[in-house]
Amino acid sequence: MTTTVLTIMMIVGAYLAGSISSAVLVCKMRGLPDPRTAGSGNPGATNVLRIGGASSAILVLFFDMLKGALPAYLAFRLGVDPIALGLIAIAACLGHIFPIFFGFKGGKGVATAFGAMAPIGHFLALSLMLTWAVIVLITRYSSFAAICTALLAPIYTWWLDDRFTIPVAMLSTLIVIRHKDNIKRLLKGEESKVSRKRRNKTS
């Protein structure tokens, strides 16, 4: 099998893996509203946090990262060159954004992109998660945290392993583009902040 054929097969496989909507499936299993129509309408972990609470959001976050990490890690282990690795990672994100199994209506691709970056190194994964978490805690804007983390990711990567700076920059660019509407709302002061769904208590 030639390198080109292998890369194409991995790109297709990554897209199909990314097309599995964790948010929709978790909400369906837990009897929650469809995240594509409830809350912000974005089938991602932040919206699931709003409509279903922390435990559901954590599950979505884990599986969204996993479907980015697995194709990237496999490509890395097979010795795929950095540019092809970037295309495979982007394919997983595009599957999340435009899932063939769910009417092509997906999320922003942030968790999947960060998951795809994680195999580069544990320190990079930890840096990305800490950066996102600290910015969310300070600002309570998930979108702002995602944008800032995406912009910092190529810098972290260049410092840790500059071979993968270009593929990480490709993913970061995709994340920023997907947040263009959020950027407009942030500039206007109209972006919604992260809030956890409060469940009614019974006496």
Side-chain angles (χ1 to χ4, degrees), residues 121-145:
H122 297 304
F123 190 78
L124 175 61
L126 182 61
S127 298
L128 294 174
M129 289 188 287
L130 284 177
T131 300
W132 183 87
V134 169
I135 296 174
V136 167
L137 287 173
I138 294 172
T139 68
R140 290 181 57 206
Y141 287 115
S142 175
S143 57
F144 182 67

Side-chain angles (χ1 to χ4, degrees), residues 41-97:
N42 178 58
T46 301
N47 193 34
V48 173
L49 176 65
R50 293 188 184 102
I51 65 178
S55 63
S56 297
I58 289 170
L59 280 174
V60 172
L61 181 64
F62 173 76
F63 286 113
D64 279 353
M65 292 185 70
L66 187 65
K67 67 188 185 183
L70 285 178
Y73 180 72
L74 181 59
F76 175 77
R77 294 295 297 176
L78 290 174
V80 172
D81 70 83
I83 299 300
L85 178 60
L87 293 175
I88 290 165
I90 285 175
C93 293
L94 289 176
H96 179 84
I97 296 167

Side-chain angles (χ1 to χ4, degrees), residues 13-60:
Y15 171 77
L16 293 175
S19 290
I20 301 171
S21 179
S22 308
V24 174
L25 294 176
V26 168
C27 286
K28 185 173 292 187
M29 287 188 297
R30 294 200 157 196
L32 299 170
D34 190 323
R36 294 170 295 182
T37 55
S40 66
N42 178 58
T46 301
N47 193 34
V48 173
L49 176 65
R50 293 188 184 102
I51 65 178
S55 63
S56 297
I58 289 170
L59 280 174
V60 172

Side-chain angles (χ1 to χ4, degrees), residues 90 93-94 97 169-179:
I90 285 175
C93 293
L94 289 176
I97 296 167
M170 292 163 67
L171 286 169
S172 295
T173 301
L174 179 62
I175 291 173
V176 173
I177 291 172
R178 281 293 291 168
H179 282 81

Side-chain angles (χ1 to χ4, degrees), residues 42 90 93-94 97-98 107-110 113-114 117 143-144 146-151 168-186 191:
N42 178 58
I90 285 175
C93 293
L94 289 176
I97 296 167
F98 305 109
K108 301 288 186 183
V110 176
F114 289 167
M117 296 176 193
S143 57
F144 182 67
I147 293 164
C148 290
T149 305
L151 292 174
V168 168
M170 292 163 67
L171 286 169
S172 295
T173 301
L174 179 62
I175 291 173
V176 173
I177 291 172
R178 281 293 291 168
H179 282 81
K180 63 182 185 300
D181 293 334
N182 301 87
I183 293 171
K184 292 177 184 176
R185 289 195 294 269
L186 284 165
E191 180 75 336

